[in-house]
Amino acid sequence: MNGTATGRLTGVGTGPGDPELMTLKAVRALAAADVVAHFAKRGSPSNARAIAQAHLRPGVIELPLLYPVTTELPHRSDAYKDAITGFYEEAAAAVAAHLDAGRSVCVLSEGDPLFYGSYMHLHVRLATRYATEVIPGVTAMSGCWSAVGLPLAQGEDVLMVLPGTMDEAELARRLADADAAVIMKVGRNLGRIRRALAKAGRLEGAIYVERGTMDASRTLPLSEVDGDATPYLSLVLTPGWSARP
């Protein structure tokens, strides 16, 4: 919406990892931005910035937004909720300071900004106050199923997108109700996800994709993945299309 300040906020989807999957509109926005903000775990590089690096203009102001916690605290705990809420408030204030100074700010988001993206926490805090635009990006799930050539859903198939952080019994129940499923937020939840798929009778045919669309990507049946933890950039695909090979 149009706000009273002169700065403009843009949420920019950088896509699933391959820089060539960024949209032309995203590239143009970055070329014109005064400030580029990007999220990262403290002490680690920003995945979204790495994807967009070639399109950052020389001299652009960069605003790193560094998470205070990621996996150190249980995500349902009050301590985690307090820490992460405070972080988003501070991040929104840092972005707003540039907007109030009349600068255009692009906030990078892996995949799509409004699909499991951190950008949305800034959007709900700032979009009513400043001129705002969201540039969609290719999601991780569509990038992954395209990279491995896996038809996922067709006709009247019901597709569910599920976070791997869900309670195991609830995850199994939802998987049993779905024709096709994408399980996000795998990471340390791999053991829970594998057990839930087995309970739902869906382990056979589930495909694990790690760093899909990137140079170091890896794909194999979930039943063949060792251990109970995976890298952050991973997900599980459970196809529903009956004509799949």
Side-chain angles (χ1 to χ4, degrees):
M1 67 173 291
N2 290 323
T4 57
T6 56
R8 183 176 183 84
L9 171 66
T10 305
V12 178
T14 61
D18 182 347
E20 292 189 352
L21 291 177
M22 286 184 61
T23 65
L24 294 174
K25 191 168 186 176
V27 171
R28 285 197 299 268
L30 292 180
D34 298 314
V35 180
V36 173
H38 39 78
F39 292 92
K41 180 180 179 181
R42 191 174 299 278
S44 299
S46 165
N47 292 315
R49 188 198 182 282
I51 297 169
Q53 180 175 350
H55 305 296
L56 303 184
R57 66 176 180 81
V60 70
I61 300 169
E62 294 196 42
L63 177 61
L65 304 172
L66 304 178
Y67 298 110
V69 291
T70 50
T71 58
E72 294 84 356
L73 295 170
H75 76 281
R76 291 189 178 90
S77 69
D78 290 339
Y80 176 86
K81 293 175 183 176
D82 290 344
I84 205 69
T85 298
F87 162 68
Y88 286 127
E89 292 288 348
E90 292 174 6
V95 170
H98 286 288
L99 295 170
D100 289 337
R103 303 185 185 102
S104 60
V105 181
C106 283
V107 180
L108 304 181
S109 180
E110 299 161 47
D112 184 272
L114 299 182
F115 183 73
Y116 289 104
S118 294
Y119 165 76
M120 65 179 65
H121 296 278
L122 304 186
H123 187 84
V124 298
R125 290 170 168 83
L126 299 174
T128 57
R129 297 160 49 195
Y130 302 94
T132 304
E133 180 180 11
V134 178
I135 300 176
V138 177
T139 62
M141 61 181 182
S142 59
C144 286
W145 67 54
S146 297
V148 302
L150 182 68
L152 204 74
Q154 176 65 283
E156 295 183 350
D157 283 349
V158 174
L159 169 65
M160 285 192 184
V161 181
L162 303 166
T165 52
M166 291 180 68
D167 174 78
E168 185 176 319
E170 180 64 10
L171 185 58
R173 183 188 72 78
R174 290 178 181 262
L175 285 165
D177 287 342
D179 297 305
V182 176
I183 305 177
M184 312 283 290
K185 303 178 184 293
V186 178
R188 298 184 182 185
N189 304 301
L190 181 62
R192 176 192 299 117
I193 292 167
R194 188 188 286 114
R195 291 189 300 270
L197 282 162
K199 289 178 182 177
R202 304 298 300 275
L203 183 58
E204 183 179 359
I207 302 298
Y208 168 80
V209 185
E210 180 179 305
R211 299 186 177 92
T213 80
M214 298 173 150
D215 291 338
S217 64
R218 186 168 72 112
T219 303
L220 66 163
L222 180 62
S223 58
E224 298 179 12
V225 179
D226 295 330
D228 287 335
T230 67
Y232 167 69
L233 295 174
S234 59
L235 53 72
V236 173
L237 304 173
T238 304
W241 190 30
S242 60
R244 67 185 184 276

